[in-house]
Amino acid sequence: MTADYVTLNRTGDKMPLRGFGCWKIDKKDAENTIYQAIKIGYRLFDGACDYGNEVEVGRGVNKAIKEGLVKREELFIVTKLWNTFHSKQHVRAAFDKQLKDWGLEYFDLYLIHFPIPLQYVDPSVNYPPEWYVPGADKLTYERSPIHECWAEMEKLVEAKLTRNIGVANFNCQAILDMLTYAKIKPAVLQIEIHPLLPQERLVKWVQEQGIQVTAYSSFGPTSYVDLSESGKTYQSLLANDNVKSIADKHNITTGQVLLRYALDRNIAVIPKSVHEDRMKSNLDIMNIQLDQEDNKVLSNLKTNQRFNDPMLFGFGLPLFD
């Protein structure tokens, strides 16, 4: 693979394969982290309402634009609609708040974060709303069908407020249903992908539908240590002996091995780091060539272990069963 992007359906927009994730970037660090990432060469930034740092991330983006480091049209900005805003009455207002928080005139890609319609929480009460209605100790759902939510997403495209729309954490059935009514086909599916959870069949089918795929959690359990209520501990893929052996063989880092693994499947990646050397390392993956033996070793790591799972977080929702 020589291209550094995938082409999105309908718009023909070129989405970079190497992006920067904004999850778990502390507010106090976000502006400078994003600014430095742009200086280093990142052009795709993946955010979300739920990350709670869109204002600060937006400041970093706008600082770089203002200083002439990059033009707005050279960036590819992604963010997501949270679960509590699925109602057709609330999608536009939630979107408008996010656009204002980022300080931008449009997004390049807007995703439904999860196919989970949770009860609405007014932003003045709690923002980001998180998973539970204030005072509740279990998930509270509302009757907000995805087809109505998607129709509102399509209106955002028609209003030229976002160039592309897509979904995250949807399975085949949810997407198949969406394709029966969508006027605008999803441009991207964002899902958890790493050697433990390669999701080969879903990725292949989705790509055959002309929908591009973005992988999150490329390093496996690294970001979920403090979230799981299962009591289990998992070794980071960054410290896995098999991944280390491949890294040593090519004189690269284990992180580069895991990111290149996704790129070889034409899947975009969005790693996050606040350390400049790792930012550079995570970006410097275009010229790495994993061979057949390397890919066999990585394929053998498959356990179908998922880390971004509401069941592991104690929410009692078997979303991926």
Side-chain angles (χ1 to χ4, degrees), residues 11 35 49 164 237 303:
T11 61
Y35 176 78
C49 156
N164 303 276
L237 280 170
T303 62

Side-chain angles (χ1 to χ4, degrees), residues 103-123:
L104 299 174
E105 294 182 353
Y106 68 94
F107 291 128
D108 294 277
L109 176 63
Y110 194 56
L111 306 174
I112 298 178
H113 204 150
F114 285 92
I116 306 173
L118 295 182
Q119 183 176 320
Y120 174 69
V121 175
D122 192 295

Side-chain angles (χ1 to χ4, degrees), residues 36 59 78 142 217 291:
Q36 292 300 325
R59 286 175 186 158
V78 185
E142 70 174 20
S217 300
D291 59 34

Side-chain angles (χ1 to χ4, degrees), residues 83-84 116-121 129-142 229 310 313-317:
N83 306 334
T84 52
I116 306 173
L118 295 182
Q119 183 176 320
Y120 174 69
V121 175
E130 302 178 344
W131 288 84
Y132 294 142
V133 170
D137 59 0
K138 63 180 181 179
L139 299 184
T140 310
Y141 307 104
E142 70 174 20
E229 292 190 0
F313 305 155
F315 296 149
L317 175 64

Side-chain angles (χ1 to χ4, degrees), residues 5-159:
Y5 59 86
V6 288
T7 303
L8 302 187
N9 63 46
R10 190 182 60 83
T11 61
D13 287 355
K14 293 176 170 55
M15 183 178 80
L17 280 167
R18 299 173 297 162
F20 192 89
C22 300
W23 186 38
K24 287 197 165 185
I25 300 179
D26 194 288
K27 286 184 179 183
K28 64 180 174 55
D29 302 320
E31 179 178 344
N32 185 61
T33 297
I34 299 306
Y35 176 78
Q36 292 300 325
I38 291 173
K39 286 183 70 174
I40 287 168
Y42 286 92
R43 293 296 177 263
L44 183 152
F45 291 89
D46 179 82
C49 156
D50 190 50
Y51 301 167
N53 57 11
E54 289 191 294
V55 170
E56 293 77 14
V57 167
R59 286 175 186 158
V61 167
N62 284 288
K63 179 181 179 182
I65 294 173
K66 185 177 181 180
E67 293 185 7
L69 294 179
V70 68
K71 296 177 181 177
R72 169 63 184 95
E73 56 268 26
E74 295 173 329
L75 296 174
F76 195 98
I77 305 298
V78 185
T79 192
K80 308 175 189 78
L81 176 76
W82 185 239
N83 306 334
T84 52
F85 303 122
H86 278 204
S87 168
K88 59 185 179 182
Q89 302 174 27
H90 299 131
V91 173
R92 178 60 186 269
F95 177 92
D96 286 346
K97 174 171 173 48
Q98 290 178 267
L99 198 62
K100 182 179 179 181
D101 284 349
W102 279 81
L104 299 174
E105 294 182 353
Y106 68 94
F107 291 128
D108 294 277
L109 176 63
Y110 194 56
L111 306 174
I112 298 178
H113 204 150
F114 285 92
I116 306 173
L118 295 182
Q119 183 176 320
Y120 174 69
V121 175
D122 192 295
S124 66
V125 174
N126 194 36
Y127 194 87
E130 302 178 344
W131 288 84
Y132 294 142
V133 170
D137 59 0
K138 63 180 181 179
L139 299 184
T140 310
Y141 307 104
E142 70 174 20
R143 294 172 65 87
S144 295
I146 289 293
H147 72 86
E148 292 185 356
C149 181
W150 189 250
E152 296 304 309
M153 299 280 285
E154 291 174 328
K155 290 177 183 178
L156 298 173
V157 174
E158 293 163 359

Side-chain angles (χ1 to χ4, degrees), residues 106-265:
Y106 68 94
F107 291 128
D108 294 277
L109 176 63
Y110 194 56
L111 306 174
I112 298 178
H113 204 150
F114 285 92
I116 306 173
L118 295 182
Q119 183 176 320
Y120 174 69
V121 175
D122 192 295
S124 66
V125 174
N126 194 36
Y127 194 87
E130 302 178 344
W131 288 84
Y132 294 142
V133 170
D137 59 0
K138 63 180 181 179
L139 299 184
T140 310
Y141 307 104
E142 70 174 20
R143 294 172 65 87
S144 295
I146 289 293
H147 72 86
E148 292 185 356
C149 181
W150 189 250
E152 296 304 309
M153 299 280 285
E154 291 174 328
K155 290 177 183 178
L156 298 173
V157 174
E158 293 163 359
K160 301 187 184 306
L161 294 170
T162 183
R163 291 190 53 78
N164 303 276
I165 50 178
V167 295
N169 302 300
F170 277 50
N171 64 14
C172 175
Q173 174 56 39
I175 297 170
L176 192 63
D177 182 58
M178 178 174 284
L179 294 179
T180 67
Y181 57 75
K183 292 188 296 180
I184 298 176
K185 181 194 293 187
V188 173
L189 168 67
Q190 186 177 127
I191 49 175
E192 179 180 347
I193 296 176
H194 43 73
L196 300 177
L197 184 71
Q199 303 215 61
E200 306 101 321
R201 294 187 301 182
L202 178 58
V203 168
K204 181 176 184 293
W205 181 81
V206 166
Q207 290 175 335
E208 287 173 349
Q209 310 315 307
I211 300 169
Q212 301 297 344
V213 178
T214 297
Y216 66 76
S217 300
S218 296
F219 304 146
T222 307
S223 297
Y224 299 96
V225 175
D226 59 337
L227 293 179
S228 175
E229 292 190 0
S230 66
K232 294 181 180 179
T233 58
Y234 302 95
Q235 182 194 47
S236 170
L237 280 170
L238 295 170
N240 181 278
D241 288 340
N242 292 289
V243 179
K244 281 183 177 179
S245 68
I246 296 172
D248 292 342
K249 172 181 170 181
H250 295 282
N251 195 30
I252 57 178
T253 69
T254 51
Q256 288 175 316
V257 171
L258 296 166
L259 295 173
R260 185 68 226 190
Y261 161 80
L263 259 62
D264 283 347
R265 301 172 64 196

